[in-house]
Amino acid sequence: MSESRAFCPRCGDAVPERSASDANGPLRPGAEVELCDACYFEDFDFVDAPERIDVRVCARCGAVYRGNRWVDVGAEDYTDIAIEEVSKALGVHVDVEDVAWQIDPEQVDQNTIRMHCFFTGVVRGTPVEEQVTAPVKIARQTCTRCGRIAGDYYASIVQIRAEDRTPTSEETDRATEIANEIVADMEATGDRNAFVTEVGETDDGLNIKVSTNKIGKKISNKMLEEFGGTVNDAETLVTEDEDGNEVYRVTFAVRLPPYTPGDVIALADDDGGPVLVRSARGNLKGIRVTTGERYEASYEEGNSPDARKLGELEDAAEATVVTVEDENAVQVLDPETFQAKTVSRPDYFDPDAETVPVLKSRAGLHILPDETDD
Ligand SMILES: [Zn+2]
Ligand SMILES: [Zn+2]
């Protein structure tokens, strides 16, 4: 007999030597002699399933506890979660090829889903199939993040305040929006520790409590970038964590500039006429409502030159233009008394306009730029 022979190490039966081209039974590295098919299938276990699969799910946000931490899985419902956990927990024998399987979940009670799994495959040229049933027990818990949110946990407060005024609703709305955007961005990168604990109005502004100091810092920097002003941070030791580390809470005090774009202000010791504020970031910038010339506060004055507020662009009333006197003066009807008054003519004044927006204040009557959208 020219064919070489091998023998099953368990029962001693002759087994055909498998050639390299035989896809059904290559010798695995380290395996000396293979068992005969009868002995092989005696021990063969297609699917290895645990008796039961316990899944810890956060009842508030749907996160699943895996390994030693909570993970957002983005599952639609508990059945989805159960299917995913089952597919992780089941083991399929490495020798089997062409493995296919299906799962039929059976809801037993609120917290138990019985997973009927049907597997097929091919091993040693023989089709194999197996049905296993794995009960999945769902334990509804509260993840660390949801527990902290529920417990009003926060590590940082951002105080939105303004110098010599209360912040406008535009500023406080934007601050809230910024906080939520920053948290959403961090969540999108898988950061489970980012959340806004509370947004609360105070008499002089807004307090935003957030879960980390990093978020507090980001919010205050973004506010400064958009509105100008200053920020001071102060640390307070609040407690020690479970490992004995000192825990600091950082308060970021944002102080927005005293004037905002759209304010009309009268500068002290200055006879150049009122200024319509255009920007309060860095040095205050604006235009003179008497001439239309640009104004910029000095470096020392920064965003808070010595001034008083006369009104806002929004306070402007429409006044009828009576006559254009010369390049420096226009006659308009006072919108309150309807008497003709001569006022200074800024360079943004349109000589063809029939009416112009004017601001009547302690400083008199001034033509403002027409900034209506239409
Ligand atoms: Zn054998
Ligand atoms: Zn949760």
Side-chain angles (χ1 to χ4, degrees), residues 259-267 273-279 284-290 292-296 310-314 348 359 366-371:
Y259 307 111
T260 62
D263 283 354
V264 179
I265 60 173
L267 298 158
V275 169
L276 168 64
V277 177
R278 290 302 201 190
S279 164
L284 183 128
K285 297 171 199 69
I287 52 169
R288 299 282 187 180
V289 294
T290 42
E293 280 168 13
R294 288 170 52 82
Y295 164 81
E296 182 170 344
L310 298 173
E312 296 171 16
L313 202 50
E314 282 184 6
Y348 49 76
L359 180 72
H366 291 98
I367 298 175
L368 300 186
D370 189 355
E371 288 177 357

Side-chain angles (χ1 to χ4, degrees), residues 8 11 36 39:
C8 170
C11 68
C36 71
C39 291

